[in-house]
């Protein structure tokens, strides 16, 4: 056979530099980093499973297919849980685990202090549990907790203080996690002066620097305004200012969802496809572009806000469009790496090479399908970013349609796919229920194709997002493409398939967790091949983190300095809006005119 | 730094596309004159916009020029005033400027299926202008979560034939 491969890993055997019996699992080399990664993954997968179960409740409820599970007024507790558990906790616990693995692996050294690592994990977990308690307390009348303010928690709607305190604790936990990786890097640096930063560590550090720059906004929002407001220490806030602080963080967090996926597409996917990364230097350029361009774009979530001059919106839009560049470059790398791998595996023809890819390997299939959907998500994102076209889709179902392709598939499906490859290495256990794992990415893909296309079209008809019952007495929506009942059906069926996909994933992970070690040889090995063009081709200035951070801060000052100054100039609490606690609703309904 | 030839072609093409996108939007804003919601409306009282100088009692007002109308709308949990209890009525072939302000939390003001779509943020007045040629009924939706009754917050906008529009009862 001309092209013998190891069927299990998808990597041609002759490429693997380690003989089979010498392949060590990550857990054997770095037990304490492996433990942190396992713990982070455990929380992440738990959040995914619960979030997905809330997802099907929503999908059925809002399409009027089945409304028996919750009252319509409880829909918003469900939606808050779904948004927070998936968009914040599933993604960022996964990131914390994956980055712990990537830093350790690429630096070739364990994290400096296992107790410190446990401390940041504990803080993240404690914060997340507090937030979840505040949200789910909303279902139980006797419990005073209430936090159905959605994951954007716009003031002056006001949640229980536990919600904000938990968010703050969790955030500090993520800061300390970053500090842990930076510390590990600095130690490595003093032992290896003059050496190029290993690629995975480079990605971790640029992503974390971006996180530090951008979370300042939400930290100020929560600690200076919302937590004191919920505790009754201050009487009012300026809703436009707090909303602006939220979106200052709210767009970069999108890249925090995406960076772990890019990290995997650059470093793991090429190997699984059967080849290796093309260009290490270009990967570095992409991450630097994200660091400097991600934060000054938040106003593109505020195109429809009064009180912000059109000029600032325009600056944000231009910046947003340029932020497409690193994603375009990544799309090139992903496709090129797959083609390179496929041709090495014996594929040929213009498109025929695709058949040679390891579509039965769930880790590969998940990442490749996720990348494919990301292209569609990128397209609808360009529509969102166009500041005048945006008003056609602003706050309609188009928007969840868009981000279920990006975070809900590009990120989420990649994270699941990475787990099929990485989880065995941090546990030393062979992946169980392999057949289920093999179909899972396809189930997700089909489910999302149905749900998101229908959401996009419903959005064009004006159907709003974030509503328990988008059916009104006064009027009906007019569909431009297809019919409203057909879209609702697709959302319900797609949502059901997606939840099935999440349950399959959770089953594989649980079965693997409970399996004994040594039940069969691992199907994966952790070796990552060197890129075609290595770091020696990358200009040294790329590794200058101080420079890029400074550039990022200057760009932020340009984009935000003046508008935030003008919001604060009339007093940081003015125009002063008094809080409206969630849950205190009956009085308000009584005031309904007519 | 070595960049593969195909990669360089791709890079240039991507940059070209980006410039094109920015150009289209700029064209829409500058040449076609599509107006965005911006800071022009100024600030209003957070819980009682009508107490502010440039926000009138909610209702439909005849504008400064013939064929122009100003509609002042308050959004409150969970109604548009006017809009929910009584529909907003304007005549066909008119230019209508909506002035929208919230009295409590964030709301949305969307005329379903059109690009009239703005946020109502306490303390800020949103101003959007649109032309209505044909008589037609439009749905109004609150598209920002505003509390447990959010899904009930809707209303109607009626564009009526000019002869049926009775300025004396509709307009204040
Ligand atoms: C398990 C499959 C999933 C289903 C069935 C599902 C379903 C839905 C539906 C129907 C909505 C719209 C609710 C509304 O606007 O009224 C929604 C919103 C949302 N979903 Fe999902 N989803 C799933 C997975 C995910 C994943 C994996 C993520 C992120 C990683 C995600 C993040 C979100 C977010 C952030 C929102 C918006 C919440 C808000 O507007 O406050 N979802 N989901
Ligand atoms: Cu509302
Ligand atoms: Cu609402």
């Amino acid at each position: 056979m001309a092209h013998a491969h190891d069927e299990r890993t998808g990597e041609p055997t002759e490429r693997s530099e380690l003989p089979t019996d010498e392949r060590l699992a990550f857990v054997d080399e770095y037990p304490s980093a492996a433990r942190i990664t396992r713990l982070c993954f455990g929380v992440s997968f738990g959040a995914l499973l619960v979030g997905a179960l809330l997802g099907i409740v929503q999908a059925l409820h809002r399409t009027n297919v089945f409304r028996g599970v919750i009252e319509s007024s409880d829909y918003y507790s469900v939606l808050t849980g779904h948004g927070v558990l998936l968009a914040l906790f599933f993604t960022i616990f996964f990131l914390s685990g994956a980055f712990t693995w990537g830093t350790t692996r690429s630096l070739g050294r364990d994290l400096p202090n296992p107790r410190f690592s446990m401390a940041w994990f504990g803080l993240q977990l404690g914060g997340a549990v507090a937030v979840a308690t505040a949200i789910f307390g909303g279902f139980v009348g006797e419990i005073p907790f209430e936090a159905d303010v959605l994951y954007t928690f716009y003031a002056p709607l006001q949640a229980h203080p536990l919600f904000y305190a938990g968010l703050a604790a969790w955030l500090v936990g993520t800061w300390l996690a970053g500090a842990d990786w930076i510390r590990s890097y600095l130690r490595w640096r003093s032992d290896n002066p003059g050496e190029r930063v290993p690629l995975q560590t480079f990605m971790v550090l640029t992503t974390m620097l971006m996180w530090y720059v951008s979370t300042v906004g939400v930290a100020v929002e929560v600690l200076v305004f919302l937590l004191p407001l919920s505790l009754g220490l201050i009487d009012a806030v300026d809703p436009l200012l707090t909303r602006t602080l939220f979106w200052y963080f709210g767009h970069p967090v999108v890249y925090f969802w995406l960076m772990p996926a890019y990290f995997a597409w650059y470093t793991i996917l090429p190997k699984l496809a059967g080849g290796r990364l093309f260009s290490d230097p270009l990967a570095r350029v992409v991450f630097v572009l994200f660091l400097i361009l991600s934060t000054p774009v938040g106003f593109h979530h505020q195109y429809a806000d009064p009180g912000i001059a059109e000029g600032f919106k325009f600056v944000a839009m231009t910046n947003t469009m340029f932020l497409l560049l690193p994603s375009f470059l990544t799309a090139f790398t992903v496709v090129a790496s797959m083609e390179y791998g496929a041709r090495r595996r014996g594929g040929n023809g213009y498109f025929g090479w695709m058949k040679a890819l390891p579509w039965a390997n769930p880790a590969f299939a998940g990442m490749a399908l996720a990348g494919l959907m990301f292209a569609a998500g990128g397209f609808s994102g360009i529509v969102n970013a166009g500041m005048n076209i945006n008003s056609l889709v602003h706050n309609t179902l188009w928007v969840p349609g868009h981000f279920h392709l990006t975070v809900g598939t590009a990120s989420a499906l990649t994270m699941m796919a990475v787990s099929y490859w990485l989880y065995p290495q941090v546990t030393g256990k062979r992946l169980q229920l392999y057949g289920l794992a093999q179909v899972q990415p396809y189930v997700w893909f089909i489910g999302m194709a149905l749900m998101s296309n229908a959401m996009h079209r419903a959005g064009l008809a004006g159907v709003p997002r974030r509503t328990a019952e988008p059916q009104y007495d006064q009027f009906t929506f007019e569909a431009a493409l297809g019919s409203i009942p057909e879209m609702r059906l697709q959302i319900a069926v797609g949502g059901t398939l997606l939840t099935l996909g999440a349950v399959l994933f959770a089953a594989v992970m649980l079965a693997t967790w409970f399996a004994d070690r040594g039940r069969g040889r691992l199907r994966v090995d952790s070796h990552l091949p060197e890129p075609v063009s290595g770091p020696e081709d990358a200009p040294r200035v790329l590794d200058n983190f101080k420079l890029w951070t400074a550039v990022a801060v200057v760009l932020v000052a340009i984009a935000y300095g003046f508008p935030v100054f003008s919001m604060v100039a009339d007093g940081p609490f003015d125009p002063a809006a008094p809080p409206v606690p969630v849950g205190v609703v009956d009085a308000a309904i009584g005031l309904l005119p007519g | 730094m070595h960049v593969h030839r195909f990669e360089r072609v791709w890079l240039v093409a991507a940059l070209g596309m980006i410039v094109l996108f920015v150009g289209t939007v700029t064209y829409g804003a500058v040449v076609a004159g599509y107006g965005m919601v911006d800071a022009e409306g100024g600030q209003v009282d957070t819980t009682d916009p009508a107490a502010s100088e440039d926000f009138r009692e909610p209702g439909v007002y005849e504008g400064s020029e013939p064929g122009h109308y100003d509609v002042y709308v308050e959004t409150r949990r969970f109604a548009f005033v006017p809009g929910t209890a009584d529909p907003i009525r304007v005549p066909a072939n008119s230019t209508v400027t909506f002035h929208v302000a919230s009295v409590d939390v964030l709301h949305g003001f969307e005329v379903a299926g059109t690009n009239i779509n703005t946020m109502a943020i306490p303390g800020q007045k949103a101003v959007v202008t649109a032309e209505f040629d044909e008589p037609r009924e439009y749905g109004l939706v609150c598209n920002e979560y505003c509390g447990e009754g959010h899904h009930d917050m809707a209303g109607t906008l009626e564009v009526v034939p000019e002869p049926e529009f009775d300025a004396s009862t509709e307009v204040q």
Side-chain angles (χ1 to χ4, degrees):
Chain A
M1 218 169 40
H3 294 274
H5 352 96
D6 181 341
E7 285 299 336
R8 300 163 201 269
T9 66
E11 189 181 2
T13 31
E14 72 274 15
R15 296 296 317 161
S16 193
E17 283 149 30
L18 290 176
T20 320
D21 49 345
E22 282 174 32
R23 291 177 190 175
L24 269 183
F26 180 79
V27 60
D28 302 314
E29 267 181 282
Y30 307 108
S32 78
R35 184 171 58 145
I36 293 292
T37 304
R38 277 198 310 273
L39 288 170
C40 288
F41 280 8
V43 181
S44 166
F45 302 158
L48 173 64
L49 183 63
V50 178
L53 294 174
L54 299 176
I56 193 175
V57 173
Q58 288 164 197
L60 298 180
H61 188 103
R62 66 166 288 147
T63 55
N64 199 9
V65 170
F66 184 66
R67 291 220 170 119
V69 184
I70 45 161
E71 298 284 322
S72 291
S73 60
D74 282 338
Y75 182 84
Y76 306 104
S77 297
V78 172
L79 189 54
T80 308
H82 182 77
V84 170
L85 287 181
L86 290 170
L88 296 181
F89 297 152
F90 156 60
T91 50
I92 286 170
F93 276 98
F94 182 88
L95 175 145
S96 301
F99 280 9
T100 297
W101 165 75
T103 314
T104 307
R105 193 207 70 87
S106 66
L107 294 176
R109 62 194 300 146
D110 219 328
L111 294 180
N113 179 345
R115 298 225 338 247
F116 182 75
S117 305
M118 281 306 284
W120 64 248
F121 170 74
L123 202 54
Q124 283 192 19
L125 179 62
V129 168
V131 170
T133 309
I135 296 171
F136 293 118
F139 291 120
V140 189
E142 301 79 59
I143 300 184
F145 303 135
E146 193 90 45
D148 40 347
V149 289
L150 309 190
Y151 82 106
T152 43
F153 46 88
Y154 298 138
L157 267 184
Q158 179 212 307
H160 191 273
L162 189 63
F163 179 78
Y164 303 112
L167 276 178
W170 167 77
L171 194 62
V172 173
T174 65
W175 288 348
L176 295 181
D180 207 7
W181 303 321
I182 291 173
R183 214 151 68 120
S184 191
Y185 160 73
L186 290 176
R187 295 197 172 191
W188 171 89
R189 174 49 86 208
S190 69
D191 294 346
N192 300 274
E195 243 179 78
R196 297 309 293 265
V197 187
L199 184 58
Q200 284 187 323
T201 302
F202 184 89
M203 293 172 161
V204 169
L205 295 180
T206 38
T207 307
M208 286 316 292
L209 290 169
M210 180 172 110
W211 183 249
Y212 288 122
V213 171
S214 68
T215 46
V216 169
V218 74
V220 170
E221 185 197 10
V222 168
L223 292 174
V224 179
F225 298 104
L226 302 187
L227 185 57
L229 185 74
S230 68
L231 291 170
L233 302 175
I234 54 176
D235 316 320
V237 293
D238 172 356
L240 182 62
L241 176 63
T242 49
R243 181 172 155 87
T244 301
L245 288 170
F246 179 85
W247 283 116
Y248 171 90
F249 147 86
H251 196 75
V253 75
V254 164
Y255 294 103
F256 221 58
W257 299 336
L258 220 46
M259 288 306 101
Y262 280 39
F263 166 90
W265 292 348
Y266 277 104
T267 64
I268 305 173
L269 177 67
K271 165 219 170 90
L272 295 181
R276 52 204 176 116
L277 175 62
F278 263 155
S279 167
D280 166 305
L282 222 63
R284 286 177 206 247
V285 170
V286 164
F287 274 71
V288 167
L289 284 174
F290 278 119
L291 165 60
I292 61 182
L293 294 178
S294 292
T295 314
V297 296
F299 283 124
H300 74 203
H301 291 262
Q302 297 179 275
Y303 285 152
D305 283 17
I308 298 171
E310 191 167 350
F312 302 131
K313 295 176 179 172
F314 189 82
V315 170
M317 180 204 59
T318 310
N319 202 338
T320 306
M321 292 294 185
F322 278 96
L323 196 41
L324 286 171
L325 189 64
S327 290
F328 276 131
L329 292 176
T330 305
F332 180 90
T333 305
V334 172
V335 176
S337 303
M338 290 201 287
E339 180 176 349
Y340 180 78
R343 295 201 189 279
R344 288 179 50 88
R345 294 165 62 93
N348 49 39
Y350 255 138
F351 294 105
W353 55 266
M354 289 183 196
K355 286 189 298 234
L357 289 168
W359 294 106
N361 174 348
F364 171 81
M367 282 193 230
L369 295 175
L372 202 62
M373 284 224 144
F374 190 51
F379 174 75
S380 63
I382 292 171
V383 172
N384 298 343
M387 76 180 179
N388 35 27
I389 320 165
N390 175 278
S391 54
L392 196 59
V393 295
H394 169 74
N395 271 355
T396 66
L397 207 50
W398 170 284
V399 175
H402 160 71
F403 63 65
H404 282 86
L405 292 177
T406 50
V407 63
T409 303
S411 303
L413 189 52
T414 299
M415 291 177 181
M416 293 187 259
V418 167
S419 309
Y420 292 139
W421 182 80
L422 188 52
Y423 193 64
Q425 299 179 42
V426 294
T427 53
K429 297 173 185 173
R430 183 185 170 93
L431 199 68
Q432 303 296 303
L433 308 180
Y434 197 70
L436 292 188
Q438 284 179 304
V439 298
Q440 191 271 344
Y442 297 94
V443 173
W444 192 275
F445 187 83
I446 295 167
M448 197 55 88
L450 294 174
M451 187 170 94
S452 77
N453 93 69
M455 281 180 159
H456 277 101
R457 286 183 292 126
L460 286 179
V463 177
R465 68 186 285 201
R466 302 183 141 179
T467 178
E469 296 173 15
Q471 297 93 35
Y472 301 95
D473 300 336
Q474 297 94 325
F475 67 94
T476 50
F477 294 102
E478 283 167 34
L481 277 169
S483 77
I484 298 283
E486 159 262 327
M487 292 173 201
R488 290 182 13 204
L489 191 65
Q490 276 197 46
I491 293 173
V493 174
T496 308
L497 282 176
L498 281 169
T499 304
L500 176 66
V503 169
L504 291 178
F505 172 74
V508 173
M509 289 299 139
L510 269 176
T512 306
W513 182 26
F514 286 118
D516 302 323
R517 274 200 77 159
R519 279 220 336 241
R521 186 172 71 82
L522 295 189
R523 285 189 181 86
V524 292
D525 75 76
S526 60
H527 169 69
L528 292 179
E530 289 304 317
V532 177
S533 164
E536 59 289 347
D537 292 335
R540 283 217 166 245
V541 64
L542 282 177
D543 290 6
N544 189 339
F545 296 115
K546 285 198 188 109
L547 172 68
W548 302 122
T549 311
V551 173
V553 171
V554 168
L555 290 179
V556 163
I558 293 173
Y560 273 94
F562 191 72
V564 169
F565 173 78
S566 70
M567 286 175 209
V568 176
D570 57 2
F573 300 99
D574 283 309
V580 177
V582 291
V584 187
V585 72
D586 301 345
I589 287 179
L591 289 176
L592 262 183
Chain B
M1 180 171 142
H2 169 78
V3 180
H4 194 276
R5 188 165 57 89
F6 284 140
E7 218 153 8
R8 221 171 314 171
V9 171
W10 179 259
L11 183 84
V12 171
L15 275 171
M17 245 160 88
I18 289 170
V19 172
L20 190 76
F21 291 143
V22 175
T24 336
V25 176
T26 313
Y27 176 85
V30 179
V31 184
Y34 175 79
M36 302 265 305
V37 181
D38 61 15
E40 143 204 7
Q43 294 191 353
V44 292
D45 205 307
T46 37
T47 53
D48 186 11
S52 311
E53 239 168 61
D54 55 358
F55 200 92
R56 303 188 212 173
E57 282 301 315
V60 180
Y61 293 83
E62 220 151 340
S64 47
E65 294 168 47
H68 282 229
Y69 294 85
D70 287 289
V71 183
Y72 286 79
V73 184
E74 277 182 6
T75 63
R76 56 174 68 241
R77 305 198 319 158
F78 298 100
F80 297 105
V81 187
T84 301
D86 334 283
I88 299 173
R89 283 160 61 96
V90 293
N93 296 313
S94 61
T95 303
V96 181
T97 300
F98 297 93
H99 305 250
V100 186
S102 168
V103 303
D104 42 36
V105 299
L106 268 70
H107 299 271
F109 178 81
E110 171 190 334
V111 181
T114 75
N115 56 9
I116 305 171
N117 192 341
T118 183
M119 302 292 300
I121 300 178
Q124 313 290 332
K125 181 171 80 158
V127 179
V128 263
T129 299
E131 282 170 25
F132 293 98
D133 300 332
E134 303 290 320
R136 220 200 103 169
E137 216 179 278
Y138 293 93
L140 295 180
V141 192
C142 171
N143 65 11
E144 184 55 86
Y145 170 65
C146 50
E148 291 181 23
H150 162 64
H151 50 269
D152 289 327
M153 185 161 167
T156 36
L157 167 70
E158 288 175 8
V159 181
V160 298
E162 282 156 276
E164 281 173 39
F165 186 77
D166 180 356
S168 64
T169 59
E170 309 294 348
V171 174
Q172 296 186 321

